[in-house]
């Protein structure tokens, strides 16, 4: 029985339960009109019956999903001959992996161990039995709990309160997902990072000047030990983000000022949505554009001046990324500029200041905390941006201050290290998680400061 | 004495006035140019994508007289017949004076290697055509396509281009005979990915995107709305709800690739879910879009005036009834707008999906949420990496399709907002 069919049966059963519960409530309510003897409206009795029909089997299902595989593997391992059972933990792991591959049918026919083959067949058989058992158990639970509630339906039963209680609990559960996500992110990058730092010291990672994570297969080959100094990667990240901010902050800020202080409402109505298009274009499109149009253009115009420009220059990626984050800067600045009280503007005009003087000497200083918050958010966006740099920036980790050369970034390295084959015991794969941790921490700090600054600022004028 | 002083102040003011006005004009011009720059950039982006991509909607096809030779076919085993030979024979018949192995090979290169699959499908569909001769339009090779579209110039030295002089001569002859034409590129919309540009299409990627988005929508909309309702209507103000709120605001700004790391470490490694599956992609994108939906839904709930809540409670509704019967329906348009915008973000997202293996080269069109699949933006990324010139225009065309989806989704969101927005 496949899970989808099971789910379908469960849903049918639930709608049946709903109708039965509702009917019973009606029949109990007595002959008088308006079902006045009932505590709740009849639908609630139906809903309660249906909920009880669905929830217990789903809990059973969740448990089965969580534990069935490990229990079945343990049982399959028990079936192995004793000689194979007394292995070290590592060898057992290897054996389990072989078994899993065999079950999934991934192994080429020649290297199948007949014993293992037998166990795999046993496993597949047991899996089928367990699936059938699951279906039976779920349906029995459904029918049982449904009939339990059905028989307990009385007019004085507080069905509505029960239903509302269940709904409220599920609302609380939903709201914890945000926290679970954060915990999941922290734990997943932290665990792999700790494994990485067991192999490579933390100081080498944070202060090392050489980055070449490709490790050779054998110890005697050249470059056998990868070096994992994150400084060149970080320098590249900050250079590209710096270029991006150098583009985005002036343009974004000036357009926000123009839109909120100078532009007529008609220009505003046109220009604002157009600026928002910039935020809606997928980053992979920017990346393609950077690689196809901007990078060759910069290279060619560099050649015109006799400069040697790499075709994957930091400048191209930075420029395009800057355009991408213009809307972040401009929309946040727009908000804070609009929040500056009109009285401050009027005061400045009254003293004879021109509009630009008012903006530069009164409005911008007053809005500065909010603007800084917006810039910090844009910076965290730039540091975490992936596709533009993957497509337009380079792979080689050069420690350079020349924006015309190719540099690499944290996100580029994470992508190149994790796309393709992964070995979760080699530092080459694990270092990607260490970089991820670094990225998460840096952006988190920027975000927290930005949110704090923006909130503080808002409170000041509200 | 006083009059003199006032005059000197006025003098000083008017002396600087011209300079100050000039500065004012410059400042204003600077602001205007900032906006013009952004608008120009958008225009440049769209124009360059369009200019590169429009030609991909046409594909060069070659008209061949295919003789379905009876001897070639084994009735019980139609799929293994040598369809390539059919194409070769008919090319040979068109150019009888081409002899020599290498020349013949060059000649056969003009037709796509996918032509034999087209014939195979035709024969399997209708075995009656065996023994007959038919005029059939077959896809030409991508180099021929590029040549006809003008991307390969005749003026370049022979060694520097992918087609040699002989091949160009044959192409000219075919064009003169009306056997080589540009037709609407149906393959691009009906095929999955391929290594051959002329056979590559976006159907697999679009299907993968739809499955992924379906999973995302089914999970993120109910969870997002439930969270927003809880936080806005039920949650007591305490440390726990503060924590939840701070978390949601932070998650909204976490780089998307970090969600990919989460998916890789938790969904793939811990839960053992299948790689490259839209199911896992949908889960990751759900976690990513939840903050957007929650924040929009909360704003929408906040905008429902308290009088409606109080009226419902006043006539004896329970809190839950007031919410489900009155507040949620009124807040729904705003929530849906937020959800559509979140879905548009999810549709354009690439980086986290790279982490969970949705970058694999997948030819088959997926048929479920657990089939290996790729999505439209990842397909764009993969094609952008391919060296063939013909993939550049296909990448641009795929971007046009993606942007088309995004624009229509945003248009729906704007329409919903306009239609249902209420000012209380």
């Amino acid at each position: 029985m496949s899970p989808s069919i099971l789910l379908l049966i469960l849903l049918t059963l639930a709608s049946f339960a709903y109708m039965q519960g509702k009917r019973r409530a009606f029949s109990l309510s007595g002959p008088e009109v308006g079902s006045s003897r009932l505590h709740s409206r009849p639908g609630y009795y139906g809903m309660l019956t249906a909920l009880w029909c669905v929830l217990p089997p789903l809990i059973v299902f969740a448990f089965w999903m969580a534990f069935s595989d490990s229990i079945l593997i343990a049982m399959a391992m028990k079936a192995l001959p004793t000689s194979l059972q007394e292995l070290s933990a590592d060898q057992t792991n290897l054996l389990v992996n072989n078994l899993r591959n065999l079950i999934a049918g991934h192994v080429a026919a020649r290297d199948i161990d007949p014993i293992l083959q037998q166990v795999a067949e046993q496993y597949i058989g047991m899996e089928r039995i367990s699936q059938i058992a699951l279906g039976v158990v779920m349906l029995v639970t459904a029918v049982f709990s449904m009939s339990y509630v059905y028989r307990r339906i009385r007019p004085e039963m507080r069905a509505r309160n029960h239903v509302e209680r269940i709904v409220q609990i599920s609302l609380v559960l939903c709201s914890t997902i945000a926290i679970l996500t954060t915990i999941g992110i922290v734990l997943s990058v932290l665990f792999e990072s700790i494994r990485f730092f067991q192999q490579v010291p933390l100081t080498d990672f944070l202060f090392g000047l050489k980055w070449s994570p490709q490790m050779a297969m054998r110890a005697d080959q050249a470059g056998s030990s990868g070096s994992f100094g994150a400084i060149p990667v970080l320098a590249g990240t900050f250079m590209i983000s710096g270029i991006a901010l150098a583009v985005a902050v002036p343009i974004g800020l000036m357009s926000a000022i123009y839109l909120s202080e100078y532009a007529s409402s008609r220009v505003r109505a046109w220009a604002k949505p157009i600026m928002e298009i910039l935020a809606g274009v997928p980053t992979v499109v920017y990346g393609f554009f950077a690689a196809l149009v901007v990078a060759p253009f910069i290279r060619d115009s560099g050649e015109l001046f006799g400069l040697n420009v790499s075709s994957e220059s930091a400048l191209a990626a930075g420029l395009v990324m800057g355009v991408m984050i213009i809307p972040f800067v401009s929309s946040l600045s727009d908000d804070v500029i609009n929040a500056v009280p009109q009285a401050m503007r009027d005061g400045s005009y009254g003293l004879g200041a021109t509009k630009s003087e008012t903006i530069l000497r009164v409005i911008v200083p007053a809005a500065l905390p909010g603007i800084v918050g917006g810039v910090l958010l844009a910076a965290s966006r730039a540091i975490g941006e992936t596709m533009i740099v993957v497509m337009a920036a380079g792979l080689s980790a050069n420690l350079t201050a020349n924006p015309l050369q190719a540099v690499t970034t944290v996100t580029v390295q994470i992508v190149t290290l994790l796309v393709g084959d992964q070995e979760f015991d080699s530092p080459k794969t694990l270092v990607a998680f260490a970089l991820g941790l670094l990225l998460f921490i840096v952006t988190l700090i920027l975000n927290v400061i930005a949110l704090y600054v923006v909130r503080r600022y808002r409170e000041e004028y509200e | 004495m006083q009059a003199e002083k006032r005059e000197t102040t006025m003098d000083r003011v008017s002396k600087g006035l011209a300079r100050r006005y000039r500065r004012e004009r410059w400042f204003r011009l600077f602001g205007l140019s900032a906006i013009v720059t952004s608008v120009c950039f958008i225009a440049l982006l769209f124009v360059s994508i369009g200019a590169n991509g429009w030609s991909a909607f046409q594909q060069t096809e070659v008209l061949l007289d295919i003789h379905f030779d009876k001897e070639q076919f084994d009735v019980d085993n139609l799929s293994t017949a040598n369809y390539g030979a059919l194409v070769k024979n008919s090319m040979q018949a068109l150019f009888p004076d081409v002899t020599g192995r290498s020349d013949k090979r060059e000649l056969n290169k003009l037709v796509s290697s996918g032509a034999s699959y087209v014939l195979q499908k035709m024969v399997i569909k209708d075995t009656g055509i065996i023994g007959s001769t038919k005029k059939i339009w077959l896809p030409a090779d991508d180099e021929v396509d590029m040549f006809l579209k003008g991307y390969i110039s005749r003026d370049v030295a022979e060694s520097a281009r992918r087609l040699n002089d002989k091949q160009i001569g044959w192409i000219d002859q075919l064009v003169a005979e009306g056997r080589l034409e540009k037709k609407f590129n149906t393959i691009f919309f009906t095929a999955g990915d391929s290594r051959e540009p002329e056979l590559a299409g976006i159907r697999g990627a679009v299907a993968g995107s739809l499955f992924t988005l379906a999973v995302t929508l089914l999970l993120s909309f109910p969870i997002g709305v439930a969270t927003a309702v809880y936080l806005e209507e039920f949650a007591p103000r305490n440390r726990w709800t503060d924590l939840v709120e701070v978390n949601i605001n932070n998650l909204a700004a976490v780089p998307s690739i970090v969600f990919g790391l989460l998916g890789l470490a938790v969904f793939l490694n811990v839960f053992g879910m299948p790689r490259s599956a839209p199911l896992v992609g949908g889960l990751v994108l759900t976690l990513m879009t939840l903050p957007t939906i929650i924040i929009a839904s909360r704003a929408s709930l906040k905008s429902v005036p308290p009088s409606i809540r109080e009226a419902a409670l006043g006539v004896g509704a329970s809190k839950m009834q007031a919410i489900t019967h009155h507040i949620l329906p009124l807040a729904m348009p705003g929530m849906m707008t937020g959800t559509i915008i979140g879905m548009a973000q999810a549709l354009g997202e690439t980086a986290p999906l790279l982490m969970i293996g949705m970058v694999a080269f997948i030819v088959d069109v997926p048929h479920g949420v657990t089939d290996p699949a790729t999505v439209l933006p990842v397909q764009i990324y993969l094609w952008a990496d391919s060296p063939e010139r013909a993939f550049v225009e296909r990448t641009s065309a795929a971007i046009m399709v993606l942007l088309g989806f995004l624009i229509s989704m945003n248009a729906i969101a704007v329409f919903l907002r306009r239609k249902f927005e209420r000012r209380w």
Side-chain angles (χ1 to χ4, degrees), chain A residues 51-177:
Chain A
L51 278 174
W52 271 91
C53 168
V54 172
L55 289 181
L58 280 187
I59 293 170
V60 172
F61 184 71
F63 269 95
W64 183 78
M65 286 296 274
F67 297 116
S68 74
D69 189 56
S70 46
I71 290 175
L72 283 176
I73 283 285
M75 279 166 74
M77 294 305 284
K78 277 253 171 59
L80 285 174
T82 42
S83 63
L84 283 176
Q85 285 189 22
E86 289 153 3
L87 291 170
S88 68
D90 280 353
Q91 282 169 311
T92 320
N93 267 337
L94 190 69
L95 207 61
V96 169
N97 270 336
N98 280 342
L99 193 62
R100 278 184 202 281
N101 281 334
L102 207 55
I103 291 161
H106 287 324
V107 181
R110 61 183 164 78
D111 44 34
I112 294 180
D113 183 349
I115 305 173
L116 219 53
Q117 173 79 50
Q118 202 186 342
V119 173
E121 272 162 21
Q122 242 176 22
Y123 175 94
I124 291 169
M126 282 194 293
E127 196 179 28
R128 198 173 303 131
I129 294 173
S130 92
Q131 261 179 3
I132 294 171
L134 169 79
V136 173
V137 169
M138 273 174 73
L139 293 184
V140 168
T141 337
V143 172
F144 186 77
S145 61
M146 177 179 90
S147 54
Y148 174 74
V149 175
Y150 178 77
R151 277 191 288 147
R152 282 195 43 179
I153 292 179
R154 301 269 178 280
E156 61 272 18
M157 185 188 189
R158 302 174 147 257
R160 180 175 57 76
N161 303 43
H162 282 292
V163 171
E164 288 182 354
R165 189 88 212 129
I166 294 173
V167 173
Q168 206 174 341
I169 289 171
S170 61
L171 291 185
V172 176
L173 287 181
C174 285
S175 72
T176 56
I177 284 182

Side-chain angles (χ1 to χ4, degrees), chain A residues 160 164 182 262 352 356-357, chain B residues 20 24 42 247 269 318 321:
Chain A
R160 180 175 57 76
E164 288 182 354
T182 310
Y262 287 108
S356 62
E357 283 163 350
Chain B
R20 284 170 62 201
E24 166 76 21
I42 295 174
N247 254 303
N269 285 357
S318 71
Q321 282 170 329

Side-chain angles (χ1 to χ4, degrees), chain B residues 202-393:
Chain B
I202 54 168
R203 171 124 178 260
V206 169
S209 269
L210 289 183
F211 281 124
T212 312
L213 270 199
V215 174
T216 312
L217 183 63
L218 282 181
L219 289 173
S220 63
F221 182 63
I223 294 176
V225 170
T227 308
V229 167
Y230 176 72
L231 288 178
E232 205 54 47
E233 305 285 337
F234 290 103
R237 305 280 332 158
N238 58 21
R239 279 245 178 103
W240 172 254
T241 42
D242 277 353
L243 186 69
V244 173
E245 262 177 57
V246 169
N247 254 303
I248 289 169
N249 286 334
N250 264 324
L251 281 180
V254 166
S256 60
I257 194 168
V258 174
F259 286 97
L261 290 176
L262 167 81
L264 174 62
V266 174
F267 295 137
L268 296 189
N269 285 357
V270 178
F271 292 156
M273 290 183 180
R275 280 180 78 82
S276 317
L279 178 66
V280 185
L283 282 173
V284 171
L285 292 182
T286 300
L287 298 183
M288 246 190 65
T289 47
L290 262 182
T292 314
I293 296 180
I294 294 171
I295 291 168
S297 301
R298 288 190 67 180
S300 177
L301 283 171
K302 253 192 208 130
S303 72
V304 176
S307 56
I308 290 188
R309 204 159 308 167
E310 283 150 16
L313 296 178
V315 294
S318 71
K319 205 167 179 186
M320 196 68 84
Q321 282 170 329
I323 291 166
T324 50
H325 297 175
H326 302 283
I327 297 170
L328 267 188
L330 289 173
M332 204 39 93
M335 290 178 168
M336 298 226 289
T337 312
T339 308
I340 293 173
I341 289 169
M343 288 298 115
Q345 272 176 18
L347 179 61
E349 199 52 67
T350 323
L353 302 179
L354 300 182
M355 298 289 97
I356 55 164
M358 289 188 96
V359 274
F361 172 70
I362 292 154
V363 176
D364 298 326
V365 176
H367 291 289
V369 292
T370 50
D371 287 353
T374 180
V375 294
L376 207 43
V378 177
Q379 187 70 72
I380 290 167
Y381 166 65
L382 285 172
W383 282 352
D385 257 7
S386 304
E388 286 93 348
R389 177 63 185 79
F391 270 127
V392 173
E393 62 167 29

Side-chain angles (χ1 to χ4, degrees), chain A residues 28 41 43 60-61 101 103-104 149 210 213 226 230 235 248 252 268 302 305-306 319 322 375 405 438 453 458:
Chain A
L28 285 176
R41 293 168 67 204
V60 172
F61 184 71
N101 281 334
I103 291 161
V149 175
K210 192 164 178 301
R268 244 177 104 87
F305 296 106
L319 279 180
V375 171
Q405 275 195 318
L438 207 58
V453 168
R458 276 206 191 118

